[in-house]
Amino acid sequence: MLFLPLLLLLPRADALIRLQWSALYDEVDFKGVDQITTDICAAGCKVYATIPITDENKRITSNIIVENPNTKVRTSVADLSRLFMQDSQEKAYLEIGNAPTVIIRNTNANGESAPLALWIVSTNSPYFRTAEVYEPLNLIRPKAVAPVPITILSAYSFTATVMPGDVNGVYARAAGYDVIDRNAADDCYVVMDNDFGESFNGIFLAINGPLLTLAFNNVHRSSAFNTGNAYTLRTQNDKEMMFNFDIVMDTDSAHPVSIYDQKGAQNHPFSGNFRDRTNEGIFKMQTYRATVSFTPGTADGFYGMRVWADDVGGEGTKTTTSGKDTTTSSTGNPSILILLLAIVAAMTF
């Protein structure tokens, strides 16, 4: 099992940690003040809280109140810390709709405060609807390797153990799920970035901080999936349109993601990787039919793609694909694009 020594995160006099899509408050933020305001919920948000479980902490945090300006409901940090999903150790939360200003009041005498972690995440955050959040105390997740990021929220030092399993890589940051992507605008501390290949013997992390998020590269191996597939996109009645391709990939130039323009009989290859941050590509071309193909060179090679077509003076149909799920929405004339096949990640086994 891989052991990572204790991470020393130095305390700050100004304890608020404000990132692009989240805000984290602790005991210091509420000490000696009667209220705090935040704009992180302008587009909507989730509010999570955790406290060390003592009678004194419960007494003090029962008087630190989050006010929902839309419903006028007042919820204490102590009550928020007790919210969990039904029949699960996964944390639940207070969800607030669009609110330009949210007030958190400290009604304790003399601005008394106690150990706590109050984490507010904007609805604009990546993984807002899919990430899982837990507390470290008694956390035992039946299947430790998750297809979505796992965030651990804590008001005290903790350890995290991931048992051996079918994992190829682990990427972890000392932050929330809102910044777990490698290209996140807030470049928070990377706790681990390891490719374990075919042998994952588990990891042990000791964390002296309020947040840890883990993302797993769990390659699903099945003979039911094929490699080297090609996907064709075409418009109704071969009408020329502007095709837009938004690509995420991890592959080399010898094994590119290829977009072939059947109108111009021209191939456009794309390659890049996460390591040097060349993993994203955006491409446009005017055509009536295109073919996307990919033959990975290694078990780690993959791509995901969002594709949409624009008519002259309007928008068309957009397909989003991550290799796991596909969502389609129409923001213009739904007849603009009749056949648009989902492009999925191809992997070797």
Side-chain angles (χ1 to χ4, degrees), residues 107-136:
T107 63
N108 287 290
N110 301 317
E112 193 177 13
S113 188
L116 62 90
L118 183 68
W119 187 42
I120 307 177
V121 188
S122 168
T123 190
N124 290 325
S125 164
Y127 310 107
F128 182 79
R129 291 295 178 195
T130 57
E132 300 175 10
V133 179
Y134 297 88
E135 293 182 354

Side-chain angles (χ1 to χ4, degrees), residues 35-281:
Q35 72 176 45
I36 287 173
T37 62
T38 181
D39 62 356
I40 203 71
C41 299
C45 67
K46 290 178 180 178
V47 184
Y48 301 87
T50 183
I51 62 172
I53 302 175
T54 68
D55 289 341
E56 182 71 356
N57 288 342
K58 287 188 286 187
R59 178 188 69 80
I60 294 173
T61 56
S62 291
N63 295 318
I64 299 177
I65 311 294
V66 180
E67 296 184 351
N68 186 333
N70 302 319
T71 64
K72 309 305 180 185
V73 172
R74 294 158 55 93
T75 308
S76 73
V77 169
D79 287 340
L80 282 172
S81 72
R82 291 190 286 264
L83 294 181
F84 292 89
M85 299 294 187
Q86 186 174 2
D87 300 322
S88 171
Q89 291 182 323
E90 183 179 352
K91 285 195 69 63
Y93 46 82
L94 168 66
E95 186 159 357
I96 298 176
N98 303 53
T101 302
V102 171
I103 300 175
I104 308 160
R105 299 189 188 277
N106 184 356
T107 63
N108 287 290
N110 301 317
E112 193 177 13
S113 188
L116 62 90
L118 183 68
W119 187 42
I120 307 177
V121 188
S122 168
T123 190
N124 290 325
S125 164
Y127 310 107
F128 182 79
R129 291 295 178 195
T130 57
E132 300 175 10
V133 179
Y134 297 88
E135 293 182 354
L137 184 63
N138 299 322
L139 167 57
I140 301 175
R141 193 177 185 279
K143 186 178 180 181
V145 178
V148 296
I150 292 179
T151 293
I152 300 174
L153 177 67
S154 180
Y156 49 84
S157 302
F158 64 94
T159 61
T161 302
V162 182
M163 302 305 293
D166 188 16
V167 173
N168 295 99
V170 178
Y171 186 72
R173 285 185 187 265
Y177 58 74
D178 54 309
V179 293
I180 190 58
D181 285 341
R182 294 173 185 268
N183 61 347
D186 297 298
D187 193 14
C188 296
Y189 182 76
V190 176
V191 176
M192 173 172 287
D193 186 3
N194 279 67
D195 184 351
F196 296 96
E198 299 298 318
S199 178
F200 176 68
N201 296 318
I203 58 174
F204 174 89
L205 303 175
I207 304 298
N208 186 28
L211 284 168
L212 173 71
T213 298
L214 300 163
F216 300 96
N217 175 20
N218 183 22
V219 177
H220 181 71
R221 294 172 172 82
S222 170
S223 59
F225 290 96
N226 299 315
T227 63
N229 283 350
Y231 300 87
T232 297
L233 304 91
R234 64 180 176 86
T235 62
Q236 183 183 19
N237 300 323
D238 289 339
K239 176 183 178 180
E240 283 196 20
M241 300 180 69
M242 184 62 70
F243 280 61
N244 302 266
F245 301 86
D246 188 350
I247 315 165
V248 176
M249 61 209 146
D250 198 333
T251 187
D252 56 37
S253 58
H255 304 87
V257 179
S258 295
I259 301 175
Y260 183 74
D261 177 7
Q262 295 191 19
K263 172 198 169 193
Q266 184 176 0
N267 187 54
H268 303 274
F270 297 87
S271 61
N273 58 72
F274 287 97
R275 184 171 290 104
D276 58 16
R277 300 193 175 188
T278 59
N279 56 295
E280 295 185 354

